[in-house]
Amino acid sequence: MSHDYTLIMAVMNAEKYIGQTLESVFNQTLLPAEIIIIDEFSTDRTVEIIQSFSPNIKVLNNIRPGMSAAMNFAIPLVTNEYIAFLDSDDIWVPTKAEKQVEFLNQNTTVDVVCCAALNFRKDNLEDLDFKVYREFAPTRLFTASTFRASSFEKYGFLDESVGHFGWLYDWWSKASEGGINVASIEEVLLHRRIHESNSWVSRRDEANQTIVNIARNNIKRRTSNIPEIK
Amino acid sequence: MSDYDYSVIMPVKDAERTISQSLESIFSQTILPKEIIVIDDNSTDRTFEVVQTYSPIIKVMLNPKSGVAAAVNFAVPLVATKYISFLDSDDLWMPTKAEKQIEYLMNNPTMDVVCSSVLNFSKERFDDVNFQATREFAPSRLFTASTFRQATFEKFGPLNESVGHFGWLYTWWSRADEAGIKTGAINEVHLQRRIHENNSWVVHKDEGHKALIDLARDNIRRRAHDKR
């Protein structure tokens, strides 16, 4: 049984919160064996802050545009058994990695494990003291989950053509059809920062349209084997 | 020979509907290329004809093999200038793209390559030239958004021709990253990227994802080998 996991993060101009986020990684009771950060050529101090944590963090520039492309670039680089993801403004509870990795070690048929999350928000953008907003039951956000690296070979890579909001829904739709085995730890292991620049807030219309498109794709794919009624 | 001399490599296939617009965006550059090398991947439409009569600085040749990676590998050794840029046959350069990227490489002699931000466009009909901007992206290392030093390909090697559509791009950059390639970026839109249902990344999605699996397996194999 291996406890080695790679942490993948995609970042762009994240200087405001990246320090807190990485601190939560370095406070883990089980440290990652490797950290790969895909940087979309940040123009602020993001890379400098990352490098101040450890010279061993791999910082690579994105090859194709967008978040799903960043992940498709990073995932094949992973040679460890497990992969965890973390958004550049979220915070892990110190036992997050240990509990999830231990869970996957003990439940060998499970492909991915997620956890409950606690949303935080603040009153103004400068305020670093976020207030607890709401606790959520486990969901399959990548930032709340640890995957077996083999999951992406089994259930596919991320579709880069379905937009910023599409890849998550698209991947889980296809993985569910493929029979992915997901488990959850009913415990808050992730603190999720809610702010005005969260892309789900600032680009709500695009997000909603994308979900409609994914639904259409799903229907098309799932009915493609059914003969047409004449 | 001028310090600014650069070549453009364009791998094309069945691009008669968009190639003129793409070429026009090259001829609207504030610095014109020394030559444009078009490698035609056995188009079945009028692409070859359209390109052949376009300008004397265009060399058009048939791809001796098939695929984008083979086309690029065939073209790179033909280049006689210090800088090489690439343009996909459905994309458009902004007029100062070449000038700003070449100047960047001149001012930053340790950089092997420079890329710029891109703006995605989509359209209602394929032949509709009035594209609507859909989204701006931070710089990424698309070949079509970059200018390379010619020496960069000598240092980091040719493209892998056997790994399919997503494959060559991810494989080349992964290996170049390991070998320490230095990429600069200009945070300015220099490329307009046409998004349509025939984009190769959409059409060849399955092949692309298979390439990523192969790349992952190869990395695991190499890591295990290094440990021994």
Side-chain angles (χ1 to χ4, degrees), chain A:
Chain A
M1 286 288 136
S2 167
H3 286 85
D4 287 349
Y5 70 100
T6 296
L7 168 61
I8 293 177
M9 296 177 69
V11 301
M12 183 168 70
N13 293 342
E15 66 177 5
K16 190 169 217 137
Y17 306 123
I18 188 79
Q20 275 187 18
T21 299
L22 282 175
E23 221 158 277
S24 79
V25 172
F26 284 91
N27 284 335
Q28 290 296 301
T29 50
L30 176 65
L31 291 173
E34 176 185 48
I35 301 176
I36 300 176
I37 298 184
I38 309 297
D39 170 44
E40 294 196 73
F41 290 100
S42 293
T43 52
D44 65 3
R45 292 180 56 247
T46 302
V47 174
E48 197 184 311
I49 296 168
I50 292 168
Q51 281 163 344
S52 74
F53 275 85
S54 162
N56 294 326
I57 298 177
K58 268 186 208 157
V59 184
L60 304 169
N61 295 124
N62 212 6
I63 296 178
R64 304 188 74 243
M67 171 84 96
S68 49
M71 318 253 272
N72 277 343
F73 174 33
I75 291 166
L77 303 178
V78 174
T79 55
N80 292 310
E81 195 159 339
Y82 303 117
I83 305 181
F85 299 90
L86 178 55
D87 288 349
S88 61
D89 47 5
D90 291 345
I91 292 177
W92 278 353
V93 170
T95 53
K96 190 262 186 194
E98 184 182 357
K99 290 198 172 163
Q100 292 193 331
V101 166
E102 203 50 57
F103 186 94
L104 290 175
N105 270 343
Q106 281 166 19
N107 297 276
T108 50
T109 60
V110 172
D111 295 299
V112 48
V113 59
C114 56
C115 64
L118 192 65
N119 277 6
F120 274 70
R121 73 171 176 193
K122 37 132 209 58
D123 293 321
N124 63 74
L125 207 71
E126 306 312 314
D127 188 359
L128 289 177
D129 295 319
F130 277 60
K131 281 187 208 145
V132 172
Y133 173 49
R134 194 176 153 199
E135 191 179 321
F136 285 92
T139 58
R140 295 178 286 171
L141 290 169
F142 273 39
T143 184
S145 307
T146 299
F147 295 70
R148 281 182 207 284
S150 59
S151 303
F152 297 95
E153 183 168 338
K154 276 163 83 177
Y155 307 105
F157 278 78
L158 310 182
D159 191 328
E160 297 180 21
S161 63
V162 290
H164 181 66
F165 303 99
W167 63 265
L168 183 70
Y169 284 92
D170 177 82
W171 193 83
W172 280 112
S173 297
K174 289 174 185 162
S176 302
E177 285 168 34
I180 193 168
N181 189 359
V182 188
S184 65
I185 296 174
E186 312 282 325
E187 202 179 306
V188 170
L189 298 178
L190 177 81
H191 292 176
R192 231 171 127 239
R193 199 184 299 258
I194 303 302
H195 51 89
E196 302 76 351
S197 47
N198 278 136
S199 51
W200 287 91
V201 177
S202 59
R203 291 158 60 193
R204 197 191 305 263
D205 291 346
E206 186 188 340
N208 290 341
Q209 183 54 49
T210 301
I211 289 168
V212 173
N213 293 342
I214 299 291
R216 285 189 184 138
N217 288 346
N218 285 347
I219 291 167
K220 219 189 293 176
R221 193 174 60 247
R222 288 168 192 171
T223 54
S224 64
N225 299 327
I226 300 173
E228 228 174 285
I229 299 166
K230 295 241 162 92

Side-chain angles (χ1 to χ4, degrees), chain B residues 142-201:
Chain B
L142 293 168
F143 273 39
T144 184
S146 307
T147 297
F148 296 73
R149 291 180 202 281
Q150 200 213 16
T152 301
F153 289 97
E154 283 159 32
K155 268 164 88 176
F156 301 101
L159 310 185
N160 186 335
E161 295 174 17
S162 62
V163 288
H165 248 283
F166 278 69
W168 64 265
L169 184 72
Y170 283 101
T171 308
W172 192 83
W173 281 113
S174 297
R175 302 293 174 258
D177 281 335
E178 283 173 27
I181 195 167
K182 288 194 162 47
T183 315
I186 303 173
N187 280 272
E188 215 173 282
V189 172
H190 285 155
L191 180 83
Q192 302 188 26
R193 223 168 134 241
R194 196 187 303 252
I195 301 303
H196 54 87
E197 56 287 359
N198 297 323
N199 276 138
S200 60
W201 297 89

Side-chain angles (χ1 to χ4, degrees), chain B residues 32-204:
Chain B
L32 292 179
K34 190 87 178 159
E35 60 180 354
I36 301 171
I37 303 175
V38 176
I39 307 296
D40 178 32
D41 209 349
N42 304 295
S43 292
T44 52
D45 68 2
R46 292 181 54 255
T47 302
F48 197 92
E49 270 174 83
V50 172
V51 173
Q52 211 170 21
T53 54
Y54 212 93
S55 154
I57 70 164
I58 299 180
K59 274 187 208 159
V60 52
M61 278 171 275
L62 279 177
N63 189 352
K65 299 180 195 162
S66 70
V68 174
V72 171
N73 285 342
F74 177 59
V76 166
L78 305 175
V79 170
T81 55
K82 198 167 163 186
Y83 303 108
I84 306 179
S85 46
F86 297 86
L87 179 58
D88 287 348
S89 57
D90 47 2
D91 291 344
L92 308 172
W93 280 355
M94 302 301 272
T96 56
K97 188 261 187 197
E99 181 178 356
K100 294 214 170 154
Q101 291 196 332
I102 289 169
E103 248 157 34
Y104 183 96
L105 289 176
M106 284 176 172
N107 295 332
N108 297 277
T110 61
M111 291 295 176
D112 298 296
V113 47
V114 60
C115 57
S116 301
S117 306
V118 302
L119 189 65
N120 276 5
F121 274 72
S122 67
K123 37 113 212 77
E124 298 305 320
R125 301 193 324 275
F126 197 88
D127 52 357
D128 186 355
V129 293
N130 298 311
F131 273 60
Q132 277 187 329
T134 54
R135 195 179 158 203
E136 188 179 324
F137 286 93
S140 64
R141 298 183 288 174
L142 293 168
F143 273 39
T144 184
S146 307
T147 297
F148 296 73
R149 291 180 202 281
Q150 200 213 16
T152 301
F153 289 97
E154 283 159 32
K155 268 164 88 176
F156 301 101
L159 310 185
N160 186 335
E161 295 174 17
S162 62
V163 288
H165 248 283
F166 278 69
W168 64 265
L169 184 72
Y170 283 101
T171 308
W172 192 83
W173 281 113
S174 297
R175 302 293 174 258
D177 281 335
E178 283 173 27
I181 195 167
K182 288 194 162 47
T183 315
I186 303 173
N187 280 272
E188 215 173 282
V189 172
H190 285 155
L191 180 83
Q192 302 188 26
R193 223 168 134 241
R194 196 187 303 252
I195 301 303
H196 54 87
E197 56 287 359
N198 297 323
N199 276 138
S200 60
W201 297 89
V202 179
V203 175
H204 300 287

